[in-house]
Amino acid sequence: MLKKAKLGLVMIAVAFSSPGIVYSANSSEIRGTMIPASLCQPADSASASKIQVDDFVRFKGSNAGTVYLRCPLPVGSVRATTDAPGNFIEYFKVMHQDSDGTNTAINITVELRKKTTSWNTFIGPIFDSNSYSSTGTKNTTVYLNTPELMSNNAFYWFRVTLHRDSAGANAWFHGISFY
């Protein structure tokens, strides 16, 4: 009888720590975290030479092409864990402006990534501004396919890509927030 009770407790623990758990919101320690565009860094010197950083990131002058940014998720004071229940990310919000909406001359993508000692892992899905018809400044919520249980052995960051074909269009990245 005691063995059955222990087995039942183990099964409950496994069920609650499995990656298939559906959470209702971001952890309270993550909510309110903001990553302004000015916190992001160009991923390489070619990207750095093409952008201007104010309270948002945009292409400088008539520069065109593709630039890459790295935006850290500052979770140093957050209680990250490798065991459930810990802190998790279910969704984030991207503030952006894509002046051609669903057309392809302008494009902004954002992807959440996790860096461990051996892996640099993509945590899907990718936000793609061409999926939205709005051409004004917009806050778009991105829901993860599976909530990410944060690990205390990893760094979390966002890879942001801005693309424009010519100087006549605007690709502006304002930042990322959690609520």
Side-chain angles (χ1 to χ4, degrees):
M1 184 70 159
L2 187 56
K3 286 183 182 181
K4 285 184 182 180
K6 285 183 182 179
L7 179 60
L9 289 174
V10 168
M11 290 174 67
I12 289 170
V14 168
F16 281 108
S17 64
S18 72
I21 295 173
V22 177
Y23 299 105
S24 61
N26 288 327
S27 295
S28 61
E29 291 89 348
I30 300 296
R31 284 184 230 139
T33 300
M34 300 186 84
I35 305 170
S38 59
L39 188 61
C40 302
Q41 296 295 312
D44 51 46
S45 59
S47 294
S49 68
K50 293 181 181 181
I51 61 170
Q52 179 174 337
V53 179
D54 296 313
D55 56 336
F56 54 88
V57 174
R58 63 182 168 131
F59 282 91
K60 187 183 332 177
S62 61
N63 284 309
T66 302
V67 297
Y68 303 95
L69 304 172
R70 293 185 181 133
C71 306
L73 174 54
V75 292
S77 63
V78 174
R79 179 183 45 89
T81 182
T82 55
D83 302 317
N87 290 309
F88 54 87
I89 301 170
E90 185 171 0
Y91 47 82
F92 55 90
K93 191 180 287 190
V94 177
M95 183 182 276
H96 62 93
Q97 182 176 352
D98 176 339
S99 67
D100 74 353
T102 57
N103 294 321
T104 59
I106 298 295
N107 185 240
I108 302 165
T109 63
V110 178
E111 59 185 79
L112 176 59
R113 302 194 68 90
K114 174 171 68 173
K115 174 71 175 138
T116 63
T117 55
S118 57
W119 297 101
N120 188 356
T121 309
F122 162 68
I123 304 169
I126 295 176
F127 162 79
D128 185 343
S129 66
N130 286 345
S131 299
Y132 304 92
S133 59
S134 173
T135 58
T137 301
K138 182 170 178 61
N139 275 312
T140 304
T141 301
V142 180
Y143 291 91
L144 301 181
N145 297 328
T146 303
E148 172 67 16
L149 179 61
M150 298 181 76
S151 170
N152 59 2
N153 295 317
F155 294 100
Y156 291 85
W157 61 286
F158 289 90
R159 180 180 177 184
V160 177
T161 305
L162 280 77
H163 173 82
R164 80 172 176 177
D165 288 343
S166 65
N170 296 319
W172 295 352
F173 170 70
H174 296 268
I176 299 164
S177 62
F178 295 84
Y179 59 96

